[in-house]
Amino acid sequence: MTPQPPARPPRADLPAQEREKLNQVETQEWLDSLAYVLANAGHKRAAELLEDLDHYAYFHGAPIEFKQATPYINTISAEDQPEYPGDAELERKIRNINRWNAVAMVIKANKNSDGIGGHLSTYASAAELLEVGFNHFFRGHGADGDRDLVFFQGHSAPGIYARSFLEGRFDEQRMNNYRRELQGTPGLSSYPHAYLMPDYWEFSTVSMGLGPMQAIYQARFIKYLENRGLKKPSNAKVWAFLGDGEMDEPESVGGIRFAAYENLDNLIFVLNANLQRLDGPVRANSKVIQDFEAFFRGANWNVIKVIWDSKWDELLQKDYNGLIVKRFELLVDGESQRYAAFGGKELREKFFNTPELQALIEGWSDADLELLNRGGHDINKVYAAYKAAFDHQGSPTVIIARTVKGYGLGETAQARNVAHQVKKLDFSNLKQLRDLLELPLNDEQVEHLEFYRPAEGSPEMKYLLERREKLGGFVPQRVVDYPHPTLPEGEFYEEFAKGSGERKVSTTMAAVTILSKLLRDKEIGKYIVPIVPDEARTFGMDALVPRIGIYSPRGQTYTPVDSGTLMYYKEAKDGQMLEEGITEAGAMASWMAAGTSYYVHGIPTIPFYVYYSMFGMQRIGDMVWAAGDMLARGFLLGATAGRTTLAGEGLQHQDGNSHLQAYVVPNLRTYDPAFAYELAVIFEQGIKRMYVDGINEFYYVTIDNENEVQPPMPADRPHSEIADGIMKGLYRFQRSEMQGAKLRAQLLASGPAMGAAQEAVKMLESYGVAADLWSATSYKELHQDALAVQRWNMLHPQETPRVSYVAQQLSTENAPGVLVSVSDYVKLGADGLNGHLDRKLWTLGTDGYGRSEAREELRDFFEVDAKHVVLATLYALQRDGQLGGDVVAKAIADLKIDPERAAPTLR
């Protein structure tokens, strides 16, 4: 039986002064008891006692306030710090050199080209955090399977370049070309961009929030590869360096619960809490470190706070009454910023603001107080945190390190609200910086912003390079080395060229069938990574689940409710499908991890991410752009595509935009196929181009959910010719059966609009119009080729003009008559071809918001059904002088089209 608490003493009846004195004595007795346990039984026993007391108090109704944040002190106490393993003095010199070269590079760039930009303050705050990692933790490619992935804070790029300069990877010319990439000699990109520096950067991070999300899913993908046997078990870590202001981005924190659920103990966030974002404090009226500690602890992360440096330990050790800790709790970040900006005098007057606190610093000068620094600038504190994080098992770790933005940059920038925007320092500030960093540069060298690199063989250079050699080589470094997979032969895809007979199949089901067959292939099957958000059944992929399993690091610890059925829900530790739940951003981050595996891990995984097309480019376009920047490879499949195929769903679900949004990503090839055999060609050619030929591109392919008979590939030409047309974006699907007709038309149709075009061909015959039908698989491919030809002709005015592919195919000689296109996407996609053809292309598309309706009504509403294709063709013939207006007017009446109704974009 739980013992009852003793009767309450009549304390309430005591005078206030006596009551307060009794409280103090009682508190001191409890503290003395706890101190005894700590000294004699250790921290673990003390924690057990406190937990027992907490439970006891809760049981008896004590109103204990729940707190997710621990006291505002370092998580790792001074006595628990490991000994620092490196040469602290040499590392200090190396940091100082890096600081100078980073500053010199940015300021020199802005002197040479005013306004070119760059950032000084982020690296100034993060130098110790990064250098401890470079010298003792970050393992390079030479560490084989144990090599680490490092996501660098984008604005810290100048410091990373400075270190690479010191390592001999960049010369002065390249440093002088910072943010100048068009000077005829190699430059340095503004931020981490693999597309621009493909032998250097691996991950794009400067679009804030994408680094944290990517890091989480890269860490999970390592576990996925290991559990599936594609990668040997390793101790590889994923490090993500983040800003405290950046954490306000939803993507920054959107996956942290997932990381804990997946037990990603190979993931380490380093949160650089310099308390400032671009315009001022992140949490001026509270403490951002405490906010984030509570947030991450609530998500079951291991949290390590690095707040105060070793100098504060001197005060804490003699502060038996905990006065400083109580004063820490009263701090807000706006106040802390003033101490960093104004120094020891401000600290003495405003922080040590009671006689008891002043007594603790008796005999200290303002210069002594200046040494009370933030923990993120103390390599001993940082190393202790990194070591603890590295050794931690069972959950991800976040290290929240308190730093000063613009640290060491003087009164112009240090801890000032303008710190993020500072690109220049005057000569006086530069000399002060040189003196602070103790660099052997004279005033003339300072004025000319000369870079400094010690001589080869100097202690600094030897130490720097030896540390990197021991850790497996340089970081960052992008290395592309993977075994080219053996691809299925041509007959693998023959069944899709034969069509579906009388069976009606949607292109979504055709895509899943091809994917299923690829998964069975003995050579390439293991590399296929199917990814879905939470719609496997919607896309007809549920049949894959019991065969390949859904990946789960826990396996399946329960019996699913549908265990007795053919398509039961199967989770497995070696499962191949990634089912990400309702998170398009998470699923895209997962795709990015799989799509970069060919260079990150040397394993050429081929991701197929299948999702509602409306919730792709429109929702996570920034991540798609980053994927292109990082040279990711794989397939994005926009399912239930088109504005009119997704019956009943309405405005938010019906996609008519994604091809236009995908168009802007330069290395993203986009296709809107109508038939199963077109999909087979795109998949076959795409895999070969990306994973065998090594072309840095990826694919966006829309697939619809309308069941139709899938025709065979036309047999009047070689398959290779049709496949070539599919990949180039256009080929003639069928010729008109009308012979000798005077009125001719060429109809171009894409994806789900093909059915309307096929019907229109027959309807036009009653008007005496012979229409050929073309499958336009990619307006982007056609337009890009036309632009390239146009550019070449402009630059070679005396050469015989070239003719684009689309102009050849649709020339009056090869394709006589008017040109009309119909698509389930906005008109602008096809309209881009106008100006590149020998006559006008009339376009029909689905501009406007969607509606909840059935397909037939939707196509009438958006004016892309067969009757509107017929009308557009007849009107084009009228404008071409081949028909009278009376014929078109009669057709409007016959087809029951209301000429006065408002356009879809206005309704």
Side-chain angles (χ1 to χ4, degrees):
M1 182 177 177
T2 304
Q4 295 297 310
R8 180 182 299 174
R11 189 173 307 183
D13 299 333
L14 295 174
Q17 189 173 2
E18 291 185 37
R19 189 165 62 245
E20 178 60 28
K21 184 176 180 180
L22 180 58
N23 287 346
Q24 289 177 0
V25 170
E26 190 174 60
T27 297
Q28 194 59 56
E29 288 176 350
W30 279 89
L31 291 175
D32 289 343
S33 297
L34 185 60
Y36 176 82
V37 173
L38 283 167
N40 291 276
H43 293 170
K44 185 176 179 181
R45 176 58 186 148
E48 291 172 350
L49 277 175
L50 289 172
E51 186 172 3
D52 288 343
L53 285 171
D54 184 74
H55 291 166
Y56 185 86
Y58 181 82
F59 181 82
H60 290 287
I64 298 174
E65 181 184 357
F66 173 71
K67 293 183 177 180
Q68 281 185 274
T70 60
Y72 197 50
I73 57 175
N74 296 337
T75 302
I76 301 173
S77 63
E79 55 266 29
D80 289 335
Q81 283 179 207
E83 184 178 351
Y84 194 75
D87 187 321
E89 179 57 21
L90 276 180
E91 290 186 23
R92 183 186 69 83
K93 291 180 178 180
I94 292 168
R95 284 196 309 276
N96 288 351
I97 296 169
N98 286 338
R99 285 181 186 278
W100 171 262
N101 287 335
V103 167
M105 183 182 68
V106 174
I107 296 176
K108 185 183 289 189
N110 283 273
K111 274 195 169 187
N112 294 336
S113 180
D114 191 27
I116 202 72
H119 298 274
L120 302 175
S121 297
T122 296
Y123 178 71
S125 69
E128 284 78 13
L129 300 177
L130 290 166
E131 282 300 304
V132 171
F134 277 121
N135 287 320
H136 302 287
F137 290 94
F138 304 157
R139 291 164 294 181
H141 285 273
D144 296 325
D146 283 334
R147 83 118 173 163
D148 295 335
L149 311 184
V150 186
F151 288 78
F152 292 102
Q153 199 175 350
H155 292 122
S156 69
I160 313 302
Y161 291 146
R163 171 170 251 273
S164 293
F165 169 72
L166 201 59
E167 292 168 339
R169 301 174 68 189
F170 299 147
D171 57 18
E172 288 197 17
Q173 180 62 55
R174 195 158 191 191
M175 293 286 280
N176 286 330
N177 281 344
Y178 171 62
R179 291 198 169 203
R180 304 298 299 277
E181 298 179 272
L182 303 175
Q183 300 302 303
T185 54
L188 297 174
S189 63
S190 55
Y191 304 117
H193 297 298
Y195 188 88
L196 302 174
M197 299 177 65
D199 60 342
Y200 189 78
W201 293 115
E202 293 189 277
F203 309 111
S204 299
T205 56
V206 83
S207 189
M208 293 189 184
L210 301 193
M213 183 70 80
Q214 286 186 69
I216 289 169
Y217 283 85
Q218 285 281 2
R220 196 280 290 269
F221 198 69
I222 291 174
K223 301 276 191 180
Y224 170 86
L225 291 174
E226 291 176 352
N227 284 327
R228 286 196 55 219
L230 295 176
K231 182 179 184 295
K232 292 180 180 179
S234 71
N235 195 27
K237 304 294 183 185
V238 178
W239 300 78
F241 286 82
L242 317 169
D244 46 1
E246 179 180 7
M247 300 308 288
D248 286 339
E249 285 284 1
E251 291 87 354
S252 294
V253 296
I256 66 169
R257 182 67 193 94
F258 171 80
Y261 177 79
E262 294 276 313
N263 302 124
L264 298 182
D265 50 14
N266 59 341
L267 175 65
I268 302 170
F269 276 13
V270 181
L271 182 51
N272 177 14
N274 57 37
L275 315 186
Q276 291 180 242
R277 50 190 172 202
L278 275 65
D279 290 333
V282 182
R283 300 283 190 276
N285 296 301
S286 64
K287 292 188 280 291
V288 71
I289 289 177
Q290 299 298 86
D291 288 353
F292 285 126
E293 179 192 22
F295 194 78
F296 279 92
R297 279 168 61 89
N300 287 333
W301 282 54
N302 175 42
V303 180
I304 301 174
K305 294 189 293 188
V306 183
I307 305 177
W308 311 105
D309 81 342
S310 299
K311 187 69 174 175
W312 283 98
D313 290 338
E314 297 179 26
L315 293 178
L316 290 167
Q317 286 169 1
K318 65 179 182 178
D319 178 25
Y320 187 71
N321 294 317
L323 297 174
I324 290 182
V325 175
K326 291 179 180 178
R327 182 66 181 92
F328 285 162
E329 295 296 330
L330 297 175
L331 275 174
V332 295
D333 287 351
E335 180 185 356
S336 290
Q337 188 180 348
R338 291 184 59 84
Y339 300 145
F342 301 129
K345 185 174 184 296
E346 180 88 2
L347 196 63
R348 180 188 300 279
E349 293 175 358
K350 300 294 176 62
F351 182 86
F352 296 99
N353 57 359
T354 67
E356 293 83 2
L357 287 170
Q358 290 168 5
L360 290 172
I361 58 169
E362 186 175 354
W364 286 40
S365 67
D366 286 351
D368 293 328
L369 294 176
E370 296 276 2
L371 299 176
L372 293 171
N373 207 342
R374 298 183 182 180
H377 298 299
D378 185 330
I379 60 171
N380 295 285
K381 301 291 185 186
V382 173
Y383 178 83
Y386 284 11
K387 182 69 166 60
F390 189 91
D391 293 339
H392 178 74
Q393 295 182 343
S395 64
T397 294
V398 59
I399 298 167
I400 311 177
R402 194 169 185 257
T403 64
V404 178
K405 191 150 191 174
Y407 181 63
L409 297 182
E411 62 183 22
T412 301
Q414 180 167 305
R416 305 288 174 161
N417 285 338
V418 298
H420 193 81
Q421 281 78 18
V422 172
K423 322 291 183 193
K424 302 176 183 178
L425 295 178
D426 61 26
F427 183 45
S428 174
N429 279 327
L430 286 170
K431 288 196 297 181
Q432 289 176 14
L433 181 63
R434 182 261 326 261
D435 295 341
L436 175 69
L437 300 177
E438 301 175 6
L439 297 178
L441 298 172
N442 59 41
D443 287 356
E444 184 178 358
Q445 290 174 308
V446 170
E447 187 173 13
H448 288 93
L449 295 163
E450 290 189 15
F451 299 118
Y452 176 65
R453 180 158 53 194
E456 287 188 33
S458 65
E460 295 90 342
M461 296 298 287
K462 287 179 63 177
Y463 184 86
L464 178 87
L465 296 175
E466 284 172 359
R467 293 307 307 160
R468 289 314 316 156
E469 184 179 3
K470 185 174 182 180
L471 288 167
F474 294 128
V475 175
Q477 186 176 38
R478 183 174 178 274
V479 177
V480 180
D481 183 17
Y482 63 92
H484 288 187
T486 302
L487 304 186
E489 298 296 333
E491 59 268 18
F492 179 89
Y493 299 96
E494 278 187 5
E495 67 174 278
F496 305 103
K498 294 176 181 178
S500 62
E502 296 182 359
R503 188 166 56 98
K504 292 186 176 182
V505 179
S506 69
T507 53
T508 294
M509 288 309 302
V512 172
T513 303
I514 299 170
L515 179 60
S516 178
K517 192 170 184 181
L518 286 169
L519 285 163
R520 289 193 186 95
D521 186 79
K522 293 181 179 179
E523 297 295 334
I524 202 174
K526 63 184 178 183
Y527 294 124
I528 303 296
V529 182
I531 303 170
V532 291
D534 188 34
E535 295 283 356
R537 288 187 179 86
T538 301
F539 307 139
M541 299 176 69
D542 45 331
L544 296 178
V545 173
R547 179 155 66 87
I548 64 173
I550 293 172
Y551 171 74
S552 169
R554 294 174 173 82
Q556 193 159 41
T557 59
Y558 64 95
T559 301
V561 295
D562 56 359
S563 59
T565 66
L566 185 63
M567 293 187 287
Y568 66 95
Y569 195 81
K570 176 186 175 183
E571 296 184 82
K573 195 170 183 179
D574 62 349
Q576 194 163 355
M577 179 183 290
L578 294 174
E579 206 276 7
E580 304 297 15
I582 304 174
T583 166
E584 280 81 11
M588 186 61 199
S590 193
W591 183 92
M592 293 164 78
T596 56
S597 177
Y598 74 95
Y599 71 80
V600 172
H601 304 293
I603 302 171
T605 53
I606 308 171
F608 286 80
Y609 171 28
V610 189
Y611 56 91
Y612 264 107
S613 62
M614 189 65 163
F615 305 146
M617 303 296 164
Q618 184 156 301
R619 181 167 289 185
I620 43 86
D622 196 13
M623 300 184 76
V624 175
W625 184 264
D629 182 8
M630 297 192 315
L631 309 175
R633 298 174 184 171
F635 294 91
L636 301 170
L637 304 183
T640 60
R643 190 86 77 192
T644 69
T645 63
L646 195 55
E649 289 293 342
L651 184 149
Q652 200 67 30
H653 285 63
Q654 292 165 350
D655 168 35
N657 317 319
S658 63
H659 275 285
L660 198 60
Q661 293 159 331
Y663 183 96
V664 300
V665 183
N667 52 343
L668 176 58
R669 302 188 71 179
T670 69
Y671 290 91
D672 187 19
F675 305 125
Y677 67 79
E678 294 175 347
L679 271 170
V681 168
I682 294 166
F683 288 172
E684 178 186 22
Q685 294 298 315
I687 292 173
K688 178 180 180 298
R689 286 173 59 87
M690 290 185 288
Y691 293 93
V692 177
D693 300 340
I695 299 174
N696 288 316
E697 61 189 22
F698 60 122
Y699 288 74
Y700 176 58
V701 184
T702 44
I703 47 181
D704 67 64
N705 66 332
E706 187 170 5
N707 292 328
E708 296 179 311
V709 170
Q710 296 294 326
M713 185 182 285
D716 59 339
R717 285 150 287 165
H719 282 199
S720 59
E721 181 182 329
I722 295 173
D724 184 59
I726 291 170
M727 297 307 293
K728 288 181 175 178
L730 182 72
Y731 69 96
R732 196 191 319 257
F733 173 64
Q734 68 182 34
R735 293 183 183 272
S736 172
E737 295 179 357
M738 292 180 65
Q739 300 295 323
K742 293 183 179 179
L743 299 177
R744 300 293 303 274
Q746 306 295 324
L747 303 186
L748 283 63
S750 306
M754 180 60 76
Q758 288 174 310
E759 186 179 349
V761 167
K762 297 177 182 177
M763 293 171 65
L764 282 166
E765 291 178 357
S766 65
Y767 291 92
V769 180
D772 294 347
L773 184 55
W774 298 72
S775 180
T777 55
S778 178
Y779 284 111
K780 179 178 181 179
E781 289 293 312
L782 296 173
H783 191 225
Q784 288 290 302
D785 174 68
L787 289 175
V789 169
Q790 177 180 276
R791 178 180 179 274
W792 189 92
N793 291 338
M794 180 176 65
L795 295 174
H796 301 82
Q798 295 178 303
E799 302 285 341
T800 302
R802 294 179 178 176
V803 182
S804 67
Y805 174 77
V806 70
Q808 293 174 38
Q809 295 298 304
L810 297 180
S811 67
T812 303
E813 181 180 353
N814 187 51
V818 296
L819 304 177
V820 177
S821 76
V822 60
S823 165
D824 224 26
Y825 285 83
V826 294
K827 298 180 180 73
L828 196 57
D831 213 35
L833 297 181
N834 277 312
H836 299 284
L837 303 171
D838 60 10
R839 59 204 187 280
K840 179 176 173 58
L841 172 65
W842 298 86
T843 60
L844 300 177
T846 55
D847 299 60
Y849 282 125
R851 293 293 193 280
S852 297
E853 254 300 350
R855 292 188 184 114
E856 184 178 349
E857 287 77 9
L858 284 169
R859 288 167 183 167
D860 172 67
F861 175 83
F862 285 108
E863 301 172 359
V864 293
D865 57 0
K867 64 178 180 288
H868 284 92
V869 176
V870 169
L871 175 60
T873 305
L874 296 177
Y875 179 66
L877 287 165
Q878 179 198 346
R879 290 296 301 270
D880 200 39
Q882 300 184 57
L883 275 182
D886 58 327
V887 177
V888 181
K890 185 177 184 303
I892 291 174
D894 292 344
L895 297 170
K896 298 180 181 178
I897 295 173
D898 180 4
E900 304 305 323
R901 76 177 185 181
T905 53
L906 302 177
R907 285 189 277 164

